């Protein structure tokens, strides 16, 4: 039977591609194994904190959520989540199907990054709420200004470290090793240098934002920085990494056999 002559053809575009990738992302993240990993990410550290933290003393709590969670666990989580953004497709041999869709390769990469970032942001928000639950159960007095600054810095950390992880995942199969080296050199080394080079470290801007809380600034001996400036510089750093990743994915060919070979 012939189709009506006036039927409009379906036009491919970024919005349709985003919806499709979002559905695939949701399905892949809601398997039993992936849900168990997400539950461990959200509840693992708060459960340990409930076991070891003293009641009524907020200082160890702040060390856990900032030094351990924000500055260590979040970057490593982004590295393990965003690093396989394309390599998971290579290993499952589905990349060839995806890149033949009528959408530019750099747009495809950015949309996959966006879908993964939204999921990761949701997981981190739930983890932050779990930390607040620990503070309540342990009768900890937390400064009211520290809570929104923590959630703000955490969301920026996911945005920026996700961009770093995605680029490193495109550069090499050994992105975990490269990511750890990057962390020691840039996020630890550069961040501790008292010159303008520390602006290249994402961790510097996170601590500058958190330093606007008097309680956090006093505990960690931080200096408060301009929140809009830190957000803008971190967004610019993220944009640079995303641009480089998009260019790399556009110009470089990735093959299933190379990824699976030892």
């Amino acid at each position: 039977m012939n189709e009506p002559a006036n039927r409009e053809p379906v036009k491919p575009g970024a919005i349709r591609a985003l919806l499709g990738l979002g559905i695939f992302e949701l399905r892949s993240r809601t398997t039993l194994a992936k849900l168990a990993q997400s539950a461990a990410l959200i509840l693992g550290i708060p459960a340990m904190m409930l076991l070891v933290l003293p009641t009524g003393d907020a200082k160890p709590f702040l060390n856990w959520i900032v030094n351990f969670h924000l500055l260590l666990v979040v970057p490593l989580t982004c590295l393990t989540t965003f690093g396989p953004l394309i390599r998971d497709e290579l290993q499952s041999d589905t990349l060839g199907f995806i890149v033949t869709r009528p959408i530019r390769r750099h747009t495809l990469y950015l949309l996959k990054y966006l879908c993964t970032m939204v999921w990761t942001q949701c997981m981190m928000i739930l983890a932050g709420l779990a930390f607040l639950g620990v503070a309540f159960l342990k009768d900890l007095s937390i400064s009211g200004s520290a809570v929104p600054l923590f959630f703000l810095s955490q969301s920026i950390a996911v945005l920026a470290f996700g961009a770093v992880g995605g680029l490193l995942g495109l550069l090499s199969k050994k992105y975990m090793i490269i990511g750890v080296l990057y962390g020691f050199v840039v996020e630890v080394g550069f961040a501790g240098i008292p010159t303008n080079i520390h602006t290249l470290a994402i961790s510097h801007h996170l601590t500058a934002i958190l330093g606007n809380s008097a309680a956090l600034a006093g505990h960690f001996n931080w200096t408060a920085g301009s929140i809009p400036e830190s957000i803008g510089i971190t967004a610019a750093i993220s944009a640079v990494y995303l641009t480089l990743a998009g260019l790399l994915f556009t110009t470089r060919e990735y093959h299933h056999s190379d990824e699976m070979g030892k």
Side-chain angles (χ1 to χ4, degrees):
M1 186 174 180
N2 295 329
E3 294 183 356
N6 60 350
R7 182 175 179 179
E8 291 290 335
V10 176
K11 297 181 179 180
I15 300 300
R16 291 183 181 274
L18 177 61
L19 292 175
L21 290 172
I23 293 173
F24 285 133
E25 180 73 15
L26 182 62
R27 289 177 177 176
S28 66
R29 297 289 178 184
T30 52
T31 63
L32 289 178
K34 291 292 186 179
L35 287 175
Q37 292 178 7
S38 298
L41 173 65
I42 296 168
L43 301 175
I45 298 177
M48 289 189 291
M49 293 169 69
L50 282 175
L51 293 175
V52 302
L53 288 183
T55 300
D57 187 359
K59 292 181 179 179
F61 174 82
L62 295 178
N63 290 333
W64 272 76
I65 66 170
V66 174
N67 289 333
F68 185 59
H69 171 73
L70 183 63
L71 299 180
L72 180 61
V73 173
V74 171
L76 289 177
T77 299
C78 289
L79 187 60
T80 57
T81 304
F82 290 85
L85 209 61
I86 297 300
R87 297 198 174 272
D88 277 354
E89 303 292 346
L90 281 171
Q91 291 183 347
S92 59
D93 202 16
T94 56
L95 183 60
F97 170 78
I98 294 177
V99 297
T100 56
R101 302 302 91 187
I103 188 171
R104 296 174 184 269
R105 286 173 66 116
H106 67 271
T107 303
L108 172 64
Y109 173 81
L110 292 176
L111 293 179
K112 284 183 65 65
Y113 163 84
L114 179 60
C115 292
T116 304
M117 186 194 65
V118 170
W119 177 266
T120 308
Q121 292 282 14
C122 292
M123 296 302 100
M124 290 302 174
I125 290 173
L126 292 176
L129 294 176
F131 291 138
L132 293 180
V134 171
F136 175 78
L137 294 174
K138 287 292 184 177
D139 194 24
L140 304 178
S141 178
I142 304 299
S143 170
S145 63
V147 174
L149 290 175
F150 169 78
F151 279 99
L152 173 62
S153 60
Q154 182 179 246
S155 65
I156 293 173
V158 173
L159 174 75
F161 286 121
V164 174
L167 175 60
L168 296 182
L170 289 174
L171 285 173
S172 173
K173 291 185 290 186
K174 299 180 180 180
Y175 59 87
M176 288 297 298
I177 298 175
I178 300 175
V180 172
L181 292 175
Y182 163 87
F184 277 113
V185 173
V186 178
E187 299 303 329
V188 177
F190 286 7
I193 300 176
T195 62
N196 287 338
I197 196 173
H198 62 205
T199 59
L200 297 176
I202 298 166
S203 58
H204 167 74
H205 300 289
L206 300 181
T207 57
I209 292 173
L210 293 174
N212 286 273
S213 167
L216 293 174
H219 177 68
F220 293 103
N221 195 27
W222 288 336
T223 301
S226 169
I227 294 179
E229 179 180 332
S230 294
I231 293 174
I233 294 176
T234 309
I237 293 173
S238 305
V240 170
Y241 286 127
L242 287 172
T243 300
L244 292 175
L247 290 173
L248 182 61
F249 185 54
T250 299
T251 57
R252 181 177 175 181
E253 291 298 327
Y254 295 88
H255 301 285
H256 173 73
S257 57
D258 294 337
E259 178 66 18
M260 301 305 291
K262 296 183 179 179

